[in-house]
mmCIF file with all atom_site columns, all heavy atoms in Angstrom:
data_model
loop_
_atom_site.group_PDB
_atom_site.id
_atom_site.type_symbol
_atom_site.label_atom_id
_atom_site.label_alt_id
_atom_site.label_comp_id
_atom_site.label_asym_id
_atom_site.label_entity_id
_atom_site.label_seq_id
_atom_site.pdbx_PDB_ins_code
_atom_site.Cartn_x
_atom_site.Cartn_y
_atom_site.Cartn_z
_atom_site.occupancy
_atom_site.B_iso_or_equiv
_atom_site.pdbx_formal_charge
_atom_site.auth_seq_id
_atom_site.auth_comp_id
_atom_site.auth_asym_id
_atom_site.auth_atom_id
_atom_site.pdbx_PDB_model_num
ATOM   1  N  N   . SER B 1 44  ? 21.541 47.766 -79.380 1.00 0.00 ? 61  SER B N   1
ATOM   2  C  CA  . SER B 1 44  ? 22.281 47.958 -78.136 1.00 0.00 ? 61  SER B CA  1
ATOM   3  C  C   . SER B 1 44  ? 22.777 46.623 -77.586 1.00 0.00 ? 61  SER B C   1
ATOM   4  O  O   . SER B 1 44  ? 22.048 45.630 -77.610 1.00 0.00 ? 61  SER B O   1
ATOM   5  C  CB  . SER B 1 44  ? 21.362 48.645 -77.118 1.00 0.00 ? 61  SER B CB  1
ATOM   6  O  OG  . SER B 1 44  ? 22.064 48.901 -75.947 1.00 0.00 ? 61  SER B OG  1
ATOM   7  N  N   . GLY B 1 45  ? 24.014 46.586 -77.156 1.00 0.00 ? 62  GLY B N   1
ATOM   8  C  CA  . GLY B 1 45  ? 24.565 45.375 -76.565 1.00 0.00 ? 62  GLY B CA  1
ATOM   9  C  C   . GLY B 1 45  ? 25.153 44.417 -77.573 1.00 0.00 ? 62  GLY B C   1
ATOM   10 O  O   . GLY B 1 45  ? 25.615 43.337 -77.212 1.00 0.00 ? 62  GLY B O   1
ATOM   11 N  N   . GLY B 1 47  ? 27.886 44.835 -79.251 1.00 0.00 ? 64  GLY B N   1
ATOM   12 C  CA  . GLY B 1 47  ? 29.346 44.814 -79.193 1.00 0.00 ? 64  GLY B CA  1
ATOM   13 C  C   . GLY B 1 47  ? 30.016 45.965 -79.932 1.00 0.00 ? 64  GLY B C   1
ATOM   14 O  O   . GLY B 1 47  ? 31.224 45.941 -80.171 1.00 0.00 ? 64  GLY B O   1
ATOM   15 N  N   . LYS B 1 48  ? 29.252 47.010 -80.267 1.00 0.00 ? 65  LYS B N   1
ATOM   16 C  CA  . LYS B 1 48  ? 29.820 48.137 -81.027 1.00 0.00 ? 65  LYS B CA  1
ATOM   17 C  C   . LYS B 1 48  ? 30.930 48.835 -80.241 1.00 0.00 ? 65  LYS B C   1
ATOM   18 O  O   . LYS B 1 48  ? 32.018 49.073 -80.763 1.00 0.00 ? 65  LYS B O   1
ATOM   19 C  CB  . LYS B 1 48  ? 28.716 49.160 -81.354 1.00 0.00 ? 65  LYS B CB  1
ATOM   20 C  CG  . LYS B 1 48  ? 27.542 48.605 -82.144 1.00 0.00 ? 65  LYS B CG  1
ATOM   21 C  CD  . LYS B 1 48  ? 26.573 49.700 -82.506 1.00 0.00 ? 65  LYS B CD  1
ATOM   22 C  CE  . LYS B 1 48  ? 25.883 50.348 -81.312 1.00 0.00 ? 65  LYS B CE  1
ATOM   23 N  NZ  . LYS B 1 48  ? 24.926 49.469 -80.608 1.00 0.00 ? 65  LYS B NZ  1
ATOM   24 N  N   . SER B 1 49  ? 30.621 49.153 -78.980 1.00 0.00 ? 66  SER B N   1
ATOM   25 C  CA  . SER B 1 49  ? 31.621 49.887 -78.175 1.00 0.00 ? 66  SER B CA  1
ATOM   26 C  C   . SER B 1 49  ? 32.838 49.023 -77.911 1.00 0.00 ? 66  SER B C   1
ATOM   27 O  O   . SER B 1 49  ? 33.977 49.508 -77.935 1.00 0.00 ? 66  SER B O   1
ATOM   28 C  CB  . SER B 1 49  ? 31.007 50.340 -76.853 1.00 0.00 ? 66  SER B CB  1
ATOM   29 O  OG  . SER B 1 49  ? 29.977 51.259 -77.093 1.00 0.00 ? 66  SER B OG  1
ATOM   30 N  N   . THR B 1 50  ? 32.607 47.751 -77.676 1.00 0.00 ? 67  THR B N   1
ATOM   31 C  CA  . THR B 1 50  ? 33.722 46.830 -77.461 1.00 0.00 ? 67  THR B CA  1
ATOM   32 C  C   . THR B 1 50  ? 34.641 46.832 -78.675 1.00 0.00 ? 67  THR B C   1
ATOM   33 O  O   . THR B 1 50  ? 35.866 46.911 -78.551 1.00 0.00 ? 67  THR B O   1
ATOM   34 C  CB  . THR B 1 50  ? 33.180 45.406 -77.201 1.00 0.00 ? 67  THR B CB  1
ATOM   35 O  OG1 . THR B 1 50  ? 32.275 45.468 -76.114 1.00 0.00 ? 67  THR B OG1 1
ATOM   36 C  CG2 . THR B 1 50  ? 34.303 44.444 -76.887 1.00 0.00 ? 67  THR B CG2 1
ATOM   37 N  N   . GLN B 1 94  ? 30.900 60.388 -77.462 1.00 0.00 ? 111 GLN B N   1
ATOM   38 C  CA  . GLN B 1 94  ? 29.532 60.895 -77.406 1.00 0.00 ? 111 GLN B CA  1
ATOM   39 C  C   . GLN B 1 94  ? 29.442 62.116 -76.478 1.00 0.00 ? 111 GLN B C   1
ATOM   40 O  O   . GLN B 1 94  ? 28.801 63.103 -76.781 1.00 0.00 ? 111 GLN B O   1
ATOM   41 C  CB  . GLN B 1 94  ? 28.592 59.793 -76.913 1.00 0.00 ? 111 GLN B CB  1
ATOM   42 C  CG  . GLN B 1 94  ? 27.153 60.221 -76.817 1.00 0.00 ? 111 GLN B CG  1
ATOM   43 C  CD  . GLN B 1 94  ? 26.234 59.046 -76.535 1.00 0.00 ? 111 GLN B CD  1
ATOM   44 O  OE1 . GLN B 1 94  ? 26.664 57.907 -76.387 1.00 0.00 ? 111 GLN B OE1 1
ATOM   45 N  NE2 . GLN B 1 94  ? 24.933 59.331 -76.476 1.00 0.00 ? 111 GLN B NE2 1
ATOM   46 N  N   . ASP B 1 170 ? 32.421 57.448 -81.425 1.00 0.00 ? 187 ASP B N   1
ATOM   47 C  CA  . ASP B 1 170 ? 31.393 56.625 -80.783 1.00 0.00 ? 187 ASP B CA  1
ATOM   48 C  C   . ASP B 1 170 ? 30.165 57.492 -80.513 1.00 0.00 ? 187 ASP B C   1
ATOM   49 O  O   . ASP B 1 170 ? 30.171 58.325 -79.617 1.00 0.00 ? 187 ASP B O   1
ATOM   50 C  CB  . ASP B 1 170 ? 31.937 56.049 -79.467 1.00 0.00 ? 187 ASP B CB  1
ATOM   51 C  CG  . ASP B 1 170 ? 31.044 54.943 -78.926 1.00 0.00 ? 187 ASP B CG  1
ATOM   52 O  OD1 . ASP B 1 170 ? 29.938 54.752 -79.485 1.00 0.00 ? 187 ASP B OD1 1
ATOM   53 O  OD2 . ASP B 1 170 ? 31.452 54.283 -77.957 1.00 0.00 ? 187 ASP B OD2 1
ATOM   54 N  N   . GLU B 1 171 ? 29.127 57.311 -81.323 1.00 0.00 ? 188 GLU B N   1
ATOM   55 C  CA  . GLU B 1 171 ? 27.877 58.070 -81.183 1.00 0.00 ? 188 GLU B CA  1
ATOM   56 C  C   . GLU B 1 171 ? 28.184 59.568 -81.079 1.00 0.00 ? 188 GLU B C   1
ATOM   57 O  O   . GLU B 1 171 ? 27.694 60.263 -80.206 1.00 0.00 ? 188 GLU B O   1
ATOM   58 C  CB  . GLU B 1 171 ? 27.108 57.639 -79.919 1.00 0.00 ? 188 GLU B CB  1
ATOM   59 C  CG  . GLU B 1 171 ? 26.805 56.167 -79.843 1.00 0.00 ? 188 GLU B CG  1
ATOM   60 C  CD  . GLU B 1 171 ? 25.523 55.799 -80.597 1.00 0.00 ? 188 GLU B CD  1
ATOM   61 O  OE1 . GLU B 1 171 ? 24.977 56.639 -81.342 1.00 0.00 ? 188 GLU B OE1 1
ATOM   62 O  OE2 . GLU B 1 171 ? 25.095 54.649 -80.447 1.00 0.00 ? 188 GLU B OE2 1
ATOM   63 N  N   . VAL B 1 201 ? 30.658 54.712 -84.840 1.00 0.00 ? 218 VAL B N   1
ATOM   64 C  CA  . VAL B 1 201 ? 29.622 53.856 -84.270 1.00 0.00 ? 218 VAL B CA  1
ATOM   65 C  C   . VAL B 1 201 ? 28.361 54.683 -84.133 1.00 0.00 ? 218 VAL B C   1
ATOM   66 O  O   . VAL B 1 201 ? 28.394 55.820 -83.653 1.00 0.00 ? 218 VAL B O   1
ATOM   67 C  CB  . VAL B 1 201 ? 30.047 53.314 -82.892 1.00 0.00 ? 218 VAL B CB  1
ATOM   68 C  CG1 . VAL B 1 201 ? 28.846 52.812 -82.111 1.00 0.00 ? 218 VAL B CG1 1
ATOM   69 C  CG2 . VAL B 1 201 ? 31.077 52.209 -83.040 1.00 0.00 ? 218 VAL B CG2 1
HETATM 70 MG MG1 . MG  C 2 .   ? 27.847 51.355 -76.671 1.00 0.00 ? 517 MG  C MG1 1
#
Side-chain angles (χ1 to χ4, degrees):
Chain B
S61 183
K65 302 184 295 291
S66 296
T67 305
Q111 180 171 1
D187 193 351
E188 304 275 11
V218 162

